[in-house]
């Protein structure tokens, strides 16, 4: 008997040029690697049934559950600045949509389940390493409170996929508010398919931004809202030291969720120029360039909407430029709001913002660990507290004292008891993040030694990131020089 899921598919009702119907390829010997039982419950899915042979067959693509309408979505995209008119789901299949407990409509997608019409020269497969990497990092991002696609399950296929070397294959089940990307709009815009753009925009409004439907100019309002969500998302990324690594327009979701985890990584020592992705040779997607790139991607989105905004092209362009200029304001408000909260300041006063670049510049000079700097600040909110552990992060850098003095003075002048401030700081500054060297070590143990214990331990720690747990202390420590990961690979 195959698995029963209450699908309610809407994307598959769009015109047929929006996707290709496809059957996932059968994995020869599927085996469950990991199942997100908490998420399953939120999705109204029966975890036990998902873990059964029928469930695993469905999660591997070997069996298509009743009610699923498997499709591969068409999209285009700017990859590293170059436009590619036809990308699409080359190794992903949207099984269908389900309604979660909270009423949200969510996509259930298999990633790595074989070739589609958009596979080009690819095999449509995914390897265990990148699948478990996306699972871990997306779940950590969710635990940080950052909008993201989620991971429901990872299943080994029992098949070998050929990359730089033969690797075990896997399929990830990904959950998203929608897989519509900036690149989906570009796909239709490039074909001058105005009807397609309009249908897609209407679809997105109904599904993701229902409140703009009643706006005087819904498409302009849609653009404004997407700009706003994206600006907030990037501010949140920066607040945890996240580097996406491949912010191509096909990897930017219209929902404002983080999507397509490839060679992404987190900063250890703070360095705004940090590039971690091995494929980003020019540093286009460096940590500190992410706001600028997001705005560039949004400009591409705005271009797609031009025909919907006004029949007068100049007027439409003016509108996009004007709304796009709102990005800087939205971003700065979100960025400073979040970073000040990280510093224990809930309500901004004039002059507060200076504390942020002030701290970041001494962190950069002292090569201070990003995560630990913010985490340890909560321990030293009072003038009497011992600053040794904090100071040690800066390698004896002299500029720290005046900053600390100014920061503590501001906290003392605040309206909350310092104990409450420290508690609030510990609830927003993670103690444990998926550090690159820990992630690589855990994945190596899975792939080389079939030992998932380090992975499970790391996953549990990063999904409860705000707890201080002495038994997990080793996971919170920055890499020693010889452990440092110089580049992350997406290894698709
Ligand atoms: P990405 O770099 O993962 O965002 O992928 C860019 C494009 O390449 C998308 O259209 C993917 O679906 C496609 N792609 C990536 N890896 C594969 C693969 N192994 N087989 C087929 N298509 C792939
Ligand atoms: Mg992608």
């Amino acid at each position: 008997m195959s698995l029963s899921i209450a699908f309610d598919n809407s994307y598959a009702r769009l015109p047929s040029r929006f996707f290709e119907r496809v059957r996932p390829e059968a994995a020869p010997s599927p085996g469950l690697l990991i199942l997100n039982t908490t998420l399953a419950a939120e999705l109204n899915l029966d975890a036990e049934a998902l873990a059964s042979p029928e469930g695993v067959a469905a999660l591997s693509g070997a069996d298509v559950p009743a009610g699923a309408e498997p499709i591969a979505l068409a999209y285009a995209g700017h990859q590293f600045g170059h436009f590619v008119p036809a990308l699409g789901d080359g190794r992903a299949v949207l099984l269908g949509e389900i309604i979660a407990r909270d009423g949200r409509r969510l996509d259930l997608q298999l990633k790595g389940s074989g070739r589609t019409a958009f596979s080009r020269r690819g095999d449509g497969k995914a390897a265990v390493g990148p699948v478990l990497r996306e699972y871990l990092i997306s779940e950590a991002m969710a635990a940080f409170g950052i909008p993201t696609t989620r991971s429901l399950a990872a299943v080994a296929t029992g098949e070998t996929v050929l990359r730089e070397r033969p690797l075990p294959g896997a399929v990830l089940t990904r959950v998203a508010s929608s897989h519509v990307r900036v690149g989906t709009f570009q796909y239709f815009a490039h074909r001058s398919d105005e009807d397609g753009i309009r249908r897609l925009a209407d679809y997105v409004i109904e599904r993701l931004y229902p409140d703009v439907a009643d706006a005087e100019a819904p498409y302009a309002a849609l653009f404004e809202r997407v700009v706003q969500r994206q600006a907030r998302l990037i501010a949140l990324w920066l607040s945890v030291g996240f580097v996406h690594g491949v912010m191509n327009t096909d990897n930017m979701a219209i929902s404002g969720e983080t999507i397509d985890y490839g060679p992404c990584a987190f900063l250890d020592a703070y360095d705004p120029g940090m590039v971690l992705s091995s494929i980003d040779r020019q540093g286009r997607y460096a940590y500190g360039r992410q706001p600028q790139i997001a705005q560039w991607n949004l400009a591409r989105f705005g271009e797609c909407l031009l025909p919907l905004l006004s029949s007068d092209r100049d007027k439409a362009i003016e509108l996009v430029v004007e709304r796009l200029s709102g990005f800087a304001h939205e971003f700065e408000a979100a960025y400073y709001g979040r970073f000040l909260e990280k510093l224990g300041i809930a309500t901004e006063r004039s002059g507060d913002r200076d504390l942020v670049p002030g701290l970041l510049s001494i962190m950069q000079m002292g090569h201070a660990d990003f995560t630990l700097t913010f985490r340890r600040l909560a321990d030293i909110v009072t003038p009497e507290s011992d600053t040794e552990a904090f100071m040690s992060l800066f390698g004896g850098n002299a500029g720290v004292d005046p900053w600390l003095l100014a920061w503590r003075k501001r906290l003392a002048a605040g309206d909350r008891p310092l104990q409450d401030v420290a508690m609030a700081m510990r609830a927003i500054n993670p103690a444990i993040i998926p550090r690159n060297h820990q992630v690589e070590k855990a994945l190596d143990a899975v792939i080389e030694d079939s030992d998932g214990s380090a992975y499970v331990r790391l996953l549990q720690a990063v999904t409860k990131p705000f707890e201080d747990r002495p038994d997990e202390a080793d996971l919170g420590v920055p890499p020693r020089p010889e452990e440092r990961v110089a580049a992350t690979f997406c290894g698709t």
Side-chain angles (χ1 to χ4, degrees), residues 75 79 87-89 91 111 174 181 244 246 248 250-252 259-261:
Y75 53 84
Q79 299 191 306
L87 288 164
D89 289 335
R91 54 168 174 154
K111 190 168 169 184
R174 180 158 81 174
R181 307 142 187 273
H244 183 285
V246 262
N248 295 327
D250 53 304
N251 293 336
M252 184 184 262
I259 196 171
D260 279 6
Y261 292 86

Side-chain angles (χ1 to χ4, degrees), residues 40-58:
E42 286 172 34
L43 302 179
N44 261 329
L45 297 175
D46 179 352
E48 229 170 275
L50 287 174
S52 72
E54 294 76 32
V56 174

Side-chain angles (χ1 to χ4, degrees), residues 78-92:
H78 275 92
Q79 299 191 306
F80 293 91
H82 302 286
F83 186 68
V84 185
L87 288 164
D89 289 335
R91 54 168 174 154

